[in-house]
Amino acid sequence: MPEDSDIVKHVLNGDVDSFRILVERYQRPVLSMIRRLIWDSHRCEEIGQDVFVAAFLKLSTFDPARSRFSTWLFTIARNMSINALKKKTPIPVENVPEVLDSRDPSDELSDKEFFAQMDQTLKALPGKLQRAFILAEFEQMPYEEIARIEGIRLGTVKSRINRARLRLHAAMKDIVKGRS
Amino acid sequence: MNNNEKYQVWKERPCPMDVSSDFSADVMRRVYQEAGQRQSQWNWPGVLECFQRNVSFQYAALAFAALAGLSRLWLIFFAILQP
């Protein structure tokens, strides 16, 4: 399998077709990240397309000595997601990612309610905390990569994730208390 | 299920992600369009680079500049001397 940096060289030398390999390699993680960050499944493909086109146009600025291609691409996706959120209208509730599980149907409703409330709490967090938490916990990204994407220090990433966790745990207690 | 378990389930639940089969084709269509537009536009840094590398091109430009300069001088002399 060709390395990302080799494909980038091919594209820069005029082999535009090679860019398709990068699109197919990263479409799923990029779209998943955008979907989580903007909380909207309908717009994520449209923004995803913009991300790849922007990456193609800026490809000559990518420096393999500074970062991996994936980190560079995720940074573009992060920036475009933030821009999309600024322009965005309120999200319909049905767009919140749903849970796929096969547990007891009696639990299902209350769990769904619990998940929806947790999603609302997460959405209410400041953007910085929300993004750090989503990238680390949902997208399973290493902290170092999050630091590069966000352009912050590793310690700041850890602190943001920790603050997000604390707020979510506090909210969870309230949700459980509210139910009982 | 206790709270921590619920929290874990919430955090680890799969996010259904169906990428449409046309996604990469749509991206590539736009990429080809952009690449085509880029080729049709004048690439000034590329022209300068070409000028820097190509010596005969530099001589030609110099000769053109000299001719243009001389023709102006000739016009000035012509105006002063009024033959």
Side-chain angles (χ1 to χ4, degrees), chain A residues 17 28 35 45 57 119, chain B residues 13 16-17 20 30 32 38:
Chain A
D17 247 346
R28 191 164 282 274
R35 185 181 174 173
E45 284 210 6
L57 293 173
D119 284 339
Chain B
R13 74 203 153 135
M17 190 72 244
S20 74
R30 285 180 61 187
Y32 284 124
R38 211 187 247 188

Side-chain angles (χ1 to χ4, degrees), chain B:
Chain B
M1 200 160 45
N2 67 29
N3 290 348
N4 283 336
E5 284 169 342
K6 273 194 173 179
Y7 176 79
Q8 284 300 324
V9 173
W10 170 72
K11 219 175 63 174
E12 286 160 14
R13 74 203 153 135
C15 179
M17 190 72 244
D18 301 317
V19 182
S20 74
S21 52
D22 297 336
F23 182 80
S24 61
D26 288 341
V27 171
M28 288 312 290
R29 200 172 301 126
R30 285 180 61 187
V31 161
Y32 284 124
Q33 211 176 339
E34 293 289 345
Q37 274 177 9
R38 211 187 247 188
Q39 269 181 347
S40 63
Q41 282 168 358
W42 264 100
N43 178 10
W44 287 110
V47 171
L48 288 175
E49 206 182 302
C50 175
F51 183 74
Q52 219 173 2
R53 283 184 192 165
N54 194 334
V55 179
S56 53
F57 192 30
Q58 287 174 19
Y59 276 124
L62 203 64
F64 176 77
L67 275 172
L70 281 175
S71 64
R72 277 193 174 188
L73 279 178
W74 181 80
L75 272 174
I76 291 166
F77 285 135
F78 192 82
I80 294 168
L81 300 172
Q82 292 178 342

